Structure formats: C-alpha cells, structure tokens
Amino acid sequence: MCQTADTEDFLRLGRALGDAVAATDRRVLLIASGALSHTFWPLRVIRDHEASGPEHIFTPQARAADEQRIAWLRDGDHARVLDAMPEFLAFRPEARFGHYLMMIGALGEHACTAPGRLYSEYENSVGTGQVHLWFDRPANGWTA
C-alpha cells in the first residue's frame, strides 16, 4: 500500500488493473480489504471499547459517515461514494480508502452500478468501522 497515494492515484491503479483484466480471457476475483473510518481508541481506554457494537466506533460522526457509505454501496451508488471522498477522508478511512478506490477504478468508477450485499453486520474493532460487502456483477455489466 502506497502511503503517499491520493484518491486519483488509487483510481489510476484500478483503471490499469481493469485494463489488464479486460485484456485476458480469464476470470478474475478482486478483493479489496480495509476498514472504513479508522481511528483507534487510546491505549488507556481501549479496553472500554473492545466490544464489537457500533456504539464503540471512535466518534458518532465517524459511525454516521461509515453508515452513509454502506447505504450508498448497498444501493450501488458508487458515484456518490467517489464524489464524497473529500469529506470521508476527514474520518481517516484505512489507507485513505485505497482498497475500495483501486477496486472501483477497475470496475468503472462513477459508472459502476453494482449493489453491495452485506456479508456481515457493521461493527467496531477498537474504534474502527468494519463491514464485509460483496458486489455481484450485474447481468448487463458493471457499468450498466
């Protein structure tokens, strides 16, 4: 993970990956792994926030930002997630959300309409927002 990359850098890498996938006759599975909001509780209070309930997310604002993005992802509104990246960066998504940005860059960015299916509930991990989503390829393509 390039710690100096920004949103456009991650999208560019995703576009290159998408081009490489399109040039092959093989099936490809993209896995994007990383947290939503990503601030850990300080050491002296971390034990008070070890439970997985979302009430332990670092701030109510971070939780609200995560839950909004989860709703957009479930709706397949990737354009809205991308357009709101500057605001989301204030909640320090893990690795600047590079995992998602590279994946969506490969799948068509703003034009991607694949809705997300929850594979887990939204939860806390010592202050950070966590969820598992799966994006099925729509019958008429990623960018229908």
Side-chain angles (χ1 to χ4, degrees), residues 29-48:
L29 172 68
L30 297 178
I31 298 175
S33 178
L36 293 159
S37 62
H38 200 254
T39 302
F40 295 111
W41 287 99
L43 182 61
R44 279 176 261 149
V45 298
I46 202 166
R47 291 183 62 96
D48 298 333

mmCIF file of all heavy atoms in Angstrom, residues 29-48:
data_model
loop_
_atom_site.group_PDB
_atom_site.id
_atom_site.type_symbol
_atom_site.label_atom_id
_atom_site.label_comp_id
_atom_site.label_asym_id
_atom_site.label_seq_id
_atom_site.Cartn_x
_atom_site.Cartn_y
_atom_site.Cartn_z
ATOM 1 N N LEU A 29 -11.083 -12.407 -9.717
ATOM 2 C CA LEU A 29 -11.771 -12.002 -8.492
ATOM 3 C C LEU A 29 -10.961 -10.875 -7.871
ATOM 4 O O LEU A 29 -9.771 -11.043 -7.606
ATOM 5 C CB LEU A 29 -11.878 -13.177 -7.521
ATOM 6 C CG LEU A 29 -12.397 -12.856 -6.124
ATOM 7 C CD1 LEU A 29 -13.863 -12.460 -6.179
ATOM 8 C CD2 LEU A 29 -12.198 -14.054 -5.206
ATOM 9 N N LEU A 30 -11.587 -9.737 -7.664
ATOM 10 C CA LEU A 30 -10.929 -8.621 -6.991
ATOM 11 C C LEU A 30 -11.344 -8.630 -5.528
ATOM 12 O O LEU A 30 -12.535 -8.685 -5.220
ATOM 13 C CB LEU A 30 -11.333 -7.289 -7.617
ATOM 14 C CG LEU A 30 -10.952 -7.072 -9.074
ATOM 15 C CD1 LEU A 30 -11.466 -5.717 -9.549
ATOM 16 C CD2 LEU A 30 -9.457 -7.171 -9.260
ATOM 17 N N ILE A 31 -10.370 -8.543 -4.646
ATOM 18 C CA ILE A 31 -10.641 -8.470 -3.213
ATOM 19 C C ILE A 31 -10.045 -7.171 -2.698
ATOM 20 O O ILE A 31 -8.846 -6.934 -2.841
ATOM 21 C CB ILE A 31 -10.042 -9.672 -2.457
ATOM 22 C CG1 ILE A 31 -10.681 -10.960 -2.961
ATOM 23 C CG2 ILE A 31 -10.230 -9.492 -0.952
ATOM 24 C CD1 ILE A 31 -10.085 -12.216 -2.371
ATOM 25 N N ALA A 32 -10.886 -6.345 -2.123
ATOM 26 C CA ALA A 32 -10.459 -5.082 -1.540
ATOM 27 C C ALA A 32 -10.647 -5.198 -0.032
ATOM 28 O O ALA A 32 -11.763 -5.377 0.437
ATOM 29 C CB ALA A 32 -11.280 -3.931 -2.112
ATOM 30 N N SER A 33 -9.579 -5.109 0.716
ATOM 31 C CA SER A 33 -9.650 -5.347 2.145
ATOM 32 C C SER A 33 -9.104 -4.160 2.933
ATOM 33 O O SER A 33 -7.939 -3.792 2.789
ATOM 34 C CB SER A 33 -8.853 -6.615 2.490
ATOM 35 O OG SER A 33 -8.876 -6.844 3.871
ATOM 36 N N GLY A 34 -9.968 -3.564 3.746
ATOM 37 C CA GLY A 34 -9.565 -2.461 4.591
ATOM 38 C C GLY A 34 -10.768 -1.915 5.334
ATOM 39 O O GLY A 34 -11.909 -2.206 4.993
ATOM 40 N N ALA A 35 -10.505 -1.106 6.339
ATOM 41 C CA ALA A 35 -11.567 -0.565 7.184
ATOM 42 C C ALA A 35 -12.193 0.683 6.584
ATOM 43 O O ALA A 35 -11.647 1.304 5.675
ATOM 44 C CB ALA A 35 -11.015 -0.237 8.570
ATOM 45 N N LEU A 36 -13.336 1.032 7.129
ATOM 46 C CA LEU A 36 -13.984 2.315 6.843
ATOM 47 C C LEU A 36 -13.274 3.366 7.704
ATOM 48 O O LEU A 36 -12.063 3.523 7.576
ATOM 49 C CB LEU A 36 -15.478 2.212 7.139
ATOM 50 C CG LEU A 36 -16.254 1.268 6.206
ATOM 51 C CD1 LEU A 36 -17.551 0.807 6.830
ATOM 52 C CD2 LEU A 36 -16.514 1.954 4.883
ATOM 53 N N SER A 37 -14.006 4.088 8.570
ATOM 54 C CA SER A 37 -13.329 5.041 9.455
ATOM 55 C C SER A 37 -12.291 4.274 10.271
ATOM 56 O O SER A 37 -12.493 3.113 10.620
ATOM 57 C CB SER A 37 -14.336 5.736 10.369
ATOM 58 O OG SER A 37 -14.990 4.799 11.203
ATOM 59 N N HIS A 38 -11.177 4.937 10.555
ATOM 60 C CA HIS A 38 -10.051 4.159 11.088
ATOM 61 C C HIS A 38 -9.257 4.956 12.111
ATOM 62 O O HIS A 38 -8.139 5.409 11.847
ATOM 63 C CB HIS A 38 -9.152 3.734 9.924
ATOM 64 C CG HIS A 38 -8.262 2.589 10.251
ATOM 65 N ND1 HIS A 38 -6.916 2.748 10.459
ATOM 66 C CD2 HIS A 38 -8.528 1.281 10.392
ATOM 67 C CE1 HIS A 38 -6.371 1.568 10.720
ATOM 68 N NE2 HIS A 38 -7.332 0.666 10.686
ATOM 69 N N THR A 39 -9.854 5.132 13.277
ATOM 70 C CA THR A 39 -9.138 5.747 14.397
ATOM 71 C C THR A 39 -9.277 4.815 15.586
ATOM 72 O O THR A 39 -10.386 4.445 15.971
ATOM 73 C CB THR A 39 -9.726 7.131 14.751
ATOM 74 O OG1 THR A 39 -9.647 7.968 13.591
ATOM 75 C CG2 THR A 39 -8.952 7.774 15.891
ATOM 76 N N PHE A 40 -8.134 4.413 16.128
ATOM 77 C CA PHE A 40 -8.132 3.521 17.292
ATOM 78 C C PHE A 40 -8.310 4.320 18.575
ATOM 79 O O PHE A 40 -7.870 5.471 18.671
ATOM 80 C CB PHE A 40 -6.811 2.750 17.382
ATOM 81 C CG PHE A 40 -6.588 1.807 16.248
ATOM 82 C CD1 PHE A 40 -5.591 2.052 15.310
ATOM 83 C CD2 PHE A 40 -7.358 0.664 16.102
ATOM 84 C CE1 PHE A 40 -5.376 1.180 14.261
ATOM 85 C CE2 PHE A 40 -7.153 -0.212 15.055
ATOM 86 C CZ PHE A 40 -6.155 0.048 14.131
ATOM 87 N N TRP A 41 -8.958 3.685 19.544
ATOM 88 C CA TRP A 41 -9.072 4.287 20.864
ATOM 89 C C TRP A 41 -7.692 4.346 21.509
ATOM 90 O O TRP A 41 -6.872 3.456 21.308
ATOM 91 C CB TRP A 41 -10.024 3.471 21.752
ATOM 92 C CG TRP A 41 -11.452 3.643 21.368
ATOM 93 C CD1 TRP A 41 -12.216 2.804 20.611
ATOM 94 C CD2 TRP A 41 -12.286 4.750 21.690
ATOM 95 N NE1 TRP A 41 -13.475 3.316 20.439
ATOM 96 C CE2 TRP A 41 -13.544 4.512 21.095
ATOM 97 C CE3 TRP A 41 -12.102 5.919 22.414
ATOM 98 C CZ2 TRP A 41 -14.607 5.394 21.213
ATOM 99 C CZ3 TRP A 41 -13.167 6.806 22.528
ATOM 100 C CH2 TRP A 41 -14.394 6.532 21.936
ATOM 101 N N PRO A 42 -7.418 5.387 22.308
ATOM 102 C CA PRO A 42 -6.132 5.475 23.010
ATOM 103 C C PRO A 42 -5.940 4.284 23.954
ATOM 104 O O PRO A 42 -6.905 3.732 24.492
ATOM 105 C CB PRO A 42 -6.235 6.782 23.793
ATOM 106 C CG PRO A 42 -7.263 7.586 23.065
ATOM 107 C CD PRO A 42 -8.242 6.569 22.510
ATOM 108 N N LEU A 43 -4.717 3.934 24.173
ATOM 109 C CA LEU A 43 -4.354 2.756 24.963
ATOM 110 C C LEU A 43 -5.031 2.733 26.335
ATOM 111 O O LEU A 43 -5.524 1.695 26.765
ATOM 112 C CB LEU A 43 -2.830 2.690 25.127
ATOM 113 C CG LEU A 43 -2.295 1.498 25.895
ATOM 114 C CD1 LEU A 43 -2.661 0.183 25.204
ATOM 115 C CD2 LEU A 43 -0.788 1.608 26.062
ATOM 116 N N ARG A 44 -5.092 3.874 27.003
ATOM 117 C CA ARG A 44 -5.647 3.880 28.361
ATOM 118 C C ARG A 44 -7.138 3.612 28.422
ATOM 119 O O ARG A 44 -7.662 3.278 29.476
ATOM 120 C CB ARG A 44 -5.325 5.197 29.060
ATOM 121 C CG ARG A 44 -3.896 5.196 29.625
ATOM 122 C CD ARG A 44 -3.524 6.517 30.222
ATOM 123 N NE ARG A 44 -2.732 7.190 29.196
ATOM 124 C CZ ARG A 44 -2.678 8.489 29.016
ATOM 125 N NH1 ARG A 44 -3.360 9.294 29.770
ATOM 126 N NH2 ARG A 44 -1.950 8.993 28.070
ATOM 127 N N VAL A 45 -7.858 3.735 27.293
ATOM 128 C CA VAL A 45 -9.304 3.487 27.290
ATOM 129 C C VAL A 45 -9.710 2.379 26.323
ATOM 130 O O VAL A 45 -10.894 2.057 26.229
ATOM 131 C CB VAL A 45 -10.109 4.775 26.989
ATOM 132 C CG1 VAL A 45 -9.872 5.827 28.068
ATOM 133 C CG2 VAL A 45 -9.799 5.303 25.606
ATOM 134 N N ILE A 46 -8.762 1.807 25.622
ATOM 135 C CA ILE A 46 -9.092 0.840 24.579
ATOM 136 C C ILE A 46 -9.874 -0.356 25.133
ATOM 137 O O ILE A 46 -10.775 -0.875 24.480
ATOM 138 C CB ILE A 46 -7.837 0.392 23.801
ATOM 139 C CG1 ILE A 46 -8.228 -0.146 22.422
ATOM 140 C CG2 ILE A 46 -7.013 -0.598 24.590
ATOM 141 C CD1 ILE A 46 -7.058 -0.302 21.471
ATOM 142 N N ARG A 47 -9.577 -0.770 26.355
ATOM 143 C CA ARG A 47 -10.277 -1.915 26.942
ATOM 144 C C ARG A 47 -11.763 -1.633 27.139
ATOM 145 O O ARG A 47 -12.570 -2.550 27.160
ATOM 146 C CB ARG A 47 -9.615 -2.331 28.249
ATOM 147 C CG ARG A 47 -8.237 -2.950 28.025
ATOM 148 C CD ARG A 47 -7.625 -3.436 29.320
ATOM 149 N NE ARG A 47 -8.444 -4.479 29.922
ATOM 150 C CZ ARG A 47 -8.229 -5.785 29.777
ATOM 151 N NH1 ARG A 47 -7.233 -6.206 29.048
ATOM 152 N NH2 ARG A 47 -9.013 -6.654 30.362
ATOM 153 N N ASP A 48 -12.131 -0.358 27.259
ATOM 154 C CA ASP A 48 -13.539 0.011 27.407
ATOM 155 C C ASP A 48 -14.308 -0.084 26.085
ATOM 156 O O ASP A 48 -15.529 0.056 26.077
ATOM 157 C CB ASP A 48 -13.663 1.451 27.922
ATOM 158 C CG ASP A 48 -13.042 1.635 29.296
ATOM 159 O OD1 ASP A 48 -12.979 0.651 30.066
ATOM 160 O OD2 ASP A 48 -12.609 2.773 29.579
#
